Structure formats: structure tokens, C-alpha cells
Amino acid sequence: MTIDHEVSAEQRSREEDLLQRVLRSFDTCEDPRLDEIMRSLVTHLHAFVREVRLTEAEWNKAIEFLTAVGRITDDKRQEFILLSDVLGASMQTITVNNEAVGDATEATVFGPFFVENSPRIDNGGDISFGAKGQPCWVEGTVRDTDGKPVPGARIEVWEADDDGFYDVQYDDDRTAARAHLFTDEDGGYRFWAITPTPYPIPHDGPVGQLLQAVGRSPLRAAHLHFMVTAPGARRLVTHIFVRGDELLDRDSVFGVKASLVKDFVQRLAGTPTPDGCVVESDWARVRFDIVLAPEEAS
Ligand code: BEZ
Ligand code: FE
């Protein structure tokens, strides 16, 4: 929705003159990249203020909002990243920095719930460590863009439980629904996880208030996080999403890409499992074949 604001030629020239003065203030900048970024930022910021004819009260409200974002941020809670996420700025930065290379798997948001030093499991192991949810068999291969298998690739996986919480959101220091494993000689991997379910991003702070003010939901489409690293390959941070999830086209952080939506095939209790494990409830299985771009592709 754009509203046309009439501005006289005299007024336009005053505003333009101010912008040019601010831009000239960067003439002393000796770092060409910083110079480029600051000039562009100022140009877009002034264009925004002028386009919407921002009132002084509105600017003060924006400052109050950013102050609240800063106040709630600490070493456990990063509200600025959350703000960047809900504005699509995180996804746009990821998109710009992960140019398409052959059929390399697409990247998506990192999110705040990755933890270093996750437990290692063997191929075929279980990442759930007791987390509540429907058992889900996940399998696939890791290859390079020439189609060659990548043995020894490190795969980190993490997800929320059936109640929509990551282990780190509980206050009992549990480690659950996260682990890492390595691909085998053929680049294959397989593990038990839980079928992802939708959950909200943290929405009890200023970013949650913003979402509410504009009528947006904090829910994320159900997903399972992956981070895959291997020597000579570009690090891949991504998720897989569940085909049929009604949130796919309104993920609160714009993380969904069609290529990452996978079939989570439902199986009845008692159906034989791929590894011969007896599963007494219904379970699901999904395949995710991963292609890593070469390191030099950025
Ligand atoms: C997540 O995937 O868990 C997430 C991503 C962005 C913001 C908040 C949560
Ligand atoms: Fe997540």
C-alpha cells in the first residue's frame, strides 16, 4: 500500500540538499567498502523517511522500539536477529551469500537454537534422546556438485519437540533432539529423529508485539535443522520442511524454499522399519539428498 504525498519543488530541493550534505560527509572515509555501505544505507534511509513522510512522533516510536529490542537482548536472547528474521533481512542476506551453484542444496536461516558440542551418534542412531514426538527415520546422501559422494561429512541436526520447544528452552539442562553424525564411505547417512511440528518463534518481546500489530503469526513451518560441513565444501545451513504443512507459505521468518519441502511418509505402528527396530507407535520416514557447493563458491 503506498500513499501519494504531494511535496513542493522547494521542499524537495531542501530534502535533496540535506541528503547530499550527509553523503559528502563520508568523503573522508578511507575504507571503500564501509564508504559504499554507509552511502547506500543513508540514501535508502532518507528515501524511506521522505517516501512515507515520517512524523517526528513516529521516529521517536521507532527509537523506543529499537531501545526495547536492545534491552531484552542478552547472551541468551538475541532480539535484533529475531527482528532481522521477521523482516526477511536474514533470509535475503543468506540468499545473496549462497548463490546457486549447479544443483547445490539451498540454504536457509540458522535460527537461535543451535548448540555447539552436540552428542555424536553413529549412523543409524537416534537424535531424540527422549524428546517427545513421532519417531521419524531420516536418510539420504551427501554429494558434491559433480555427483561424487562426500564421505566423512559432518551433519549437525537439531529440532523442537512435539510441544514446540528446543531442549535449551527448558530450564533443566537437558540435551535432546540434537546430535551430530558423519556420512559413511558412500556419502550416506541415516538416523532416527522426531517428525517436526510447527512452533512459534519467541514472541514475548518487542518483535512479538510488532508481529501482533501487523496481524502476523509468530509460527514457523515445521522443520528439521541441518548444518553440513566437509573439507573443500561451502558450509550448508538449511532445514527440511514437511510437505502439506499449512504454514509453508507463511513461515514467520521466510525460511521456506520449495526445494526443501520433503515428503514425510507416514507408516502405521508395526510396519517394519528400515533398520529392523521395533517401533510401537505410528512413525514416518523422509529422504533428504544433500548437494554441497564447492568452498570457493560464495
Ligand atoms: C528457528 O528455526 O528455530 C528460528 C529461526 C529464526 C528465528 C527464531 C527461531
Ligand atoms: Fe527451528
Side-chain angles (χ1 to χ4, degrees):
M1 178 179 26
T2 50
I3 302 168
D4 261 346
H5 299 281
E6 284 286 312
V7 176
S8 69
E10 162 68 13
Q11 176 65 20
R12 219 181 3 257
S13 131
R14 285 185 188 185
E15 292 170 8
E16 190 53 35
D17 177 60
L18 174 62
L19 170 62
Q20 293 309 322
R21 276 193 287 137
V22 179
L23 290 177
R24 279 198 301 276
S25 77
F26 294 109
D27 287 353
T28 48
C29 180
E30 287 179 358
D31 177 338
R33 179 64 175 155
L34 181 61
D35 187 43
E36 178 186 10
I37 289 172
M38 290 312 298
R39 282 176 198 271
S40 176
L41 178 66
V42 162
T43 303
H44 287 277
L45 183 60
H46 282 235
F48 157 71
V49 171
R50 294 168 68 188
E51 181 185 312
V52 303
R53 312 307 300 167
L54 197 70
T55 68
E56 290 170 58
E58 286 163 346
W59 186 233
N60 284 337
K61 207 164 169 185
I63 303 278
E64 269 168 34
F65 173 77
L66 289 175
T67 305
V69 170
R71 285 217 174 98
I72 202 172
T73 296
D74 59 21
D75 49 359
K76 290 223 171 68
R77 168 103 181 224
Q78 231 306 351
E79 196 81 356
F80 281 107
I81 297 185
L82 212 52
L83 179 59
S84 150
D85 293 341
V86 302
L87 296 180
S90 304
M91 266 317 284
Q92 193 64 279
T93 308
I94 289 161
T95 306
V96 165
N97 285 281
N98 288 271
E99 269 181 45
V101 185
D103 58 349
T105 303
E106 291 189 90
T108 187
V109 276
F110 196 52
F113 299 119
F114 172 73
V115 173
E116 299 281 357
N117 302 319
S118 68
R120 177 178 175 170
I121 58 161
D122 289 332
N123 239 321
D126 186 353
I127 76 155
S128 67
F129 295 103
K132 203 165 126 193
Q134 182 193 56
C136 179
W137 176 257
V138 184
E139 66 189 341
T141 53
V142 178
R143 294 180 182 275
D144 65 18
T145 44
D146 294 328
K148 283 212 296 294
V150 182
R154 181 182 174 116
I155 303 179
E156 292 273 356
V157 275
W158 66 104
E159 62 179 334
D161 66 14
D162 224 25
D163 290 327
F165 296 111
Y166 285 82
D167 53 2
V168 288
Q169 293 176 288
Y170 292 96
D171 51 19
D172 56 7
D173 280 343
R174 73 182 71 177
T175 297
R178 71 174 71 243
H180 70 276
L181 67 158
F182 293 89
T183 51
D184 63 21
E185 281 311 297
D186 304 320
Y189 74 89
R190 58 208 72 84
F191 58 90
W192 283 103
I194 53 180
T195 306
T197 45
Y199 65 87
I201 62 169
H203 58 110
D204 55 344
V207 169
Q209 285 166 8
L210 173 66
L211 290 180
Q212 195 173 25
V214 299
R216 271 173 56 182
S217 158
L219 284 174
R220 289 222 57 201
H223 60 274
L224 171 61
H225 290 261
F226 280 75
M227 177 162 70
V228 187
T229 48
R234 183 167 80 186
R235 183 181 82 156
L236 173 68
V237 174
T238 196
H239 320 334
I240 51 173
F241 297 91
V242 182
R243 194 173 320 281
D245 181 352
E246 58 182 32
L247 290 164
L248 286 175
D249 60 358
R250 50 200 161 89
D251 181 45
S252 54
V253 301
F254 308 96
V256 180
K257 294 181 170 181
S259 67
L260 301 175
V261 178
K262 303 294 170 191
D263 294 308
F264 283 70
V265 181
Q266 289 293 320
R267 296 281 186 237
L268 292 176
T271 316
T273 57
D275 63 348
C277 227
V278 178
V279 176
E280 277 159 9
S281 62
D282 291 355
W283 54 281
R285 65 184 297 171
V286 63
R287 183 164 187 94
F288 179 35
D289 291 319
I290 296 166
V291 178
L292 296 180
E295 196 162 34
E296 61 273 16
S298 61

